[in-house]
Amino acid sequence: ILQERGASAGGGGSGMAMLFLAGVAGASAMILPGVSGAYLLLLLGQYLPILESIRRVKDALRAGDPSQIMGEMGVIVPVGLGVVAGVVGVSNLLRWLLHRYEALTLGVLLGLVVGAPAGLYPFKRGIEPTPGEVIRGVVVTPENLDSFLDKPSRWREEAYTPSPAQVAGACGLIVLGGTITMGIARIGRGRPDDTGEGA
């Protein structure tokens, strides 16, 4: 819904607290299933500021400019600390919740997994730009077409309906993944006790 209303990738303030929160959100998405870290950063308005800062650090490393690298630490350090806090905090919270409220926590996690694909609908695909088209206020010409072809994220999108083969393939992968998961769980249950008790 927020994406349809035009959520901005760089619309939020980038103070230390917000950057730390962005790091926590991104790290949480690494642990929680069905949650997109990039999309959380997008909603917080920190996606582009963080990516641009990382790009500038890469450029400074190539150029051997330590002053430029230090100048970006105001972004990199809070985000890095947020990532560490997010991984440690969320993983420990999840472990505690699984220990105390296993069924409820597993239900919530299953809900995230099942609900995540709803964010993909309506399904969209990028349309390769053609000369004469206007993208972000810039007219595509034969001269600048290559610069747009290299950046699919700027392409116009249109909704499409997956073909029966694509739907069948996706369902087949779901079944395959579930089968592998159940097989691994069965192998794990069949392993002998590693504690050494009863030996």
Side-chain angles (χ1 to χ4, degrees):
I1 293 170
L2 287 172
Q3 187 178 32
E4 291 298 325
R5 291 183 179 178
S8 172
S14 292
M16 293 283 189
M18 180 57 76
L19 290 167
F20 180 83
L21 179 61
V24 171
S28 302
M30 288 188 257
I31 297 169
L32 298 174
V35 179
S36 166
Y39 194 60
L40 288 178
L41 294 180
L42 180 72
L43 292 179
L44 291 171
Q46 302 305 307
Y47 189 74
L48 286 182
I50 292 171
L51 284 185
E52 285 297 313
S53 181
I54 293 170
R55 182 189 60 76
R56 287 191 293 269
V57 167
K58 285 171 28 183
D59 292 344
L61 285 170
R62 285 193 196 107
D65 184 359
S67 62
Q68 175 69 25
I69 295 171
M70 294 308 296
E72 296 301 324
M73 290 300 107
V75 173
I76 302 297
V77 169
V79 172
L81 292 174
V83 168
V84 172
V87 168
V88 172
V90 173
S91 60
N92 283 313
L93 175 63
L94 195 56
R95 183 169 56 182
W96 181 82
L97 288 171
L98 284 168
H99 180 70
R100 286 290 187 91
Y101 311 101
E102 182 179 5
L104 182 61
T105 304
L106 288 175
V108 170
L109 294 176
L110 180 61
L112 287 173
V113 171
V114 172
L120 300 175
Y121 186 82
F123 302 113
K124 294 185 177 181
R125 63 179 164 206
I127 304 301
E128 191 172 300
T130 56
E133 189 176 344
V134 178
I135 298 179
R136 296 187 181 182
V138 178
V139 178
V140 179
T141 64
E143 292 77 25
N144 66 8
L145 179 61
D146 287 342
S147 66
F148 288 101
L149 293 177
D150 292 341
K151 297 176 181 173
S153 61
R154 295 187 178 184
W155 294 4
R156 181 174 53 86
E157 293 182 332
E158 70 173 10
Y160 77 100
T161 302
S163 69
Q166 290 172 321
V167 172
C171 291
L173 289 173
I174 291 171
V175 170
L176 176 63
T179 303
I180 292 171
T181 301
M182 288 188 292
I184 292 171
R186 182 167 293 180
I187 292 169
R189 282 196 299 268
R191 290 178 60 191
D193 188 1
D194 292 333
T195 60
E197 294 179 5

